[in-house]
Amino acid sequence: MPVLGMGTWHMAENPALRDSEIAAIREGLDLGLTLIDTAELYADGATETLVGEAIRGVDRDGLFIVSKVMPSHAGRSHMRKSCEASLKRLGVDHLDLYLLHWPGSVPLAETVACMESLRADGLIRQWGVSNFDVDDMEQLWRVPGGDACVANQVLYHLESRGAELALKPWMDAHNVAMMAYCPLAQGGRLAYGLMNDGTLGEIARRHHATPAQILLAWVMRDSRTVAIPKAGTPEHMRLNVEAAGIELTPSDLAALDRRFPAPSVKPPLDWL
Ligand SMILES: NC(=O)c1ccc[n+]([C@@H]2O[C@H](COP(=O)([O-])OP(=O)(O)OC[C@H]3O[C@@H](n4cnc5c(N)ncnc54)[C@H](OP(=O)(O)O)[C@@H]3O)[C@@H](O)[C@H]2O)c1
């Protein structure tokens, strides 16, 4: 999986922003991004339709499309319908990765069986989960076939580092990729003052970069954690793509650790 992708939450909610959102995704594709993260939940499916419009005419083989099924749809009676509807809105014949959006009440064994049936029929290439903490992952691993899960998408940014304590090591040990959502803390909205922080600003200046770019470079610093920032303009998309080329030095990382330390005791997983 590429380490930088494009988030899409809130796209297609405001008609006045539609052209800019489509232009942003096309800019990302032109600049070499291939991963697009979306969900049936976003704008009640309209976000997937917008993504479908943005990728029309693009070589499908060069794309890595991720979508998510809502927990209430993740059972025998609905999951195939959900997946087929996502494919139709996106205008593609398969998803590269299909995620259970958050833990729900459908038994995991049933969700896993549905994922495997979609995979066997070629509707999805691989499947994973989202917002799963360590105990959720352990429960998944106890289900037959549960260890076929390839990714867990979780909230992770410089001011929300709880996932580093036990979840990330567990996922590394079990070969489950971490996809970091809200890597920009929603443009700083989730972390008051983050974008104006002095330490972050100083490191940004040294790299001739913006604080947002440093936030992304920090998430991708192990070259394995996948960042999926949402950019609603081509300019933000360009900045985000450039961030993949920023290499933080050991002293940058040490300064960020001092300013934004990971918690010393594992907190419950943050999620939206
Ligand atoms: N699995 C889940 O439960 C879950 C939950 C939340 C999110 N997600 C996924 O993760 C993606 C990312 O999370 P998110 O969209 O909530 O938050 P985010 O990516 O952390 O932040 C998006 C915000 O940052 C701004 N931004 C983007 N690039 C910027 C730049 N270079 N400089 C300054 N601001 C910039 C955007 O503004 P503009 O729009 O003006 O560019 C937008 O307001 C989502 O879009 C979605 O695909 C998944």
Side-chain angles (χ1 to χ4, degrees), residues 17-29:
L17 301 180
R18 189 176 183 84
D19 289 350
S20 172
E21 291 165 349
I22 289 177
I25 295 175
R26 291 196 176 144
E27 182 75 11
L29 295 172

Side-chain angles (χ1 to χ4, degrees), residues 140-178:
L140 179 61
W141 248 243
R142 286 195 290 272
V143 162
D147 59 0
C149 165
V150 298
N152 182 17
Q153 189 176 111
V154 296
L155 192 156
Y156 183 62
H157 58 75
L158 188 58
E159 266 215 348
S160 177
R161 301 181 55 171
E164 285 174 31
L165 257 61
L167 183 60
K168 181 70 166 54
W170 191 99
M171 287 165 57
D172 286 346
H174 293 82
N175 233 347
V176 177
M178 181 156 113

Side-chain angles (χ1 to χ4, degrees), residues 6-9 37-38 42 68 101 130-131 153 180-187 189 195 210 212-213 228-233 236 239-240 272:
M6 301 182 250
T8 63
W9 192 22
D37 177 79
T38 190
Y42 300 165
K68 313 183 198 79
H101 208 145
S130 178
N131 298 302
Q153 189 176 111
Y181 75 71
C182 301
L184 295 170
Q186 292 202 322
R189 286 187 295 281
M195 289 300 188
T210 66
Q213 289 180 306
I228 48 165
K230 174 256 180 181
T233 64
H236 276 168
L239 288 166
N240 296 350
L272 292 184

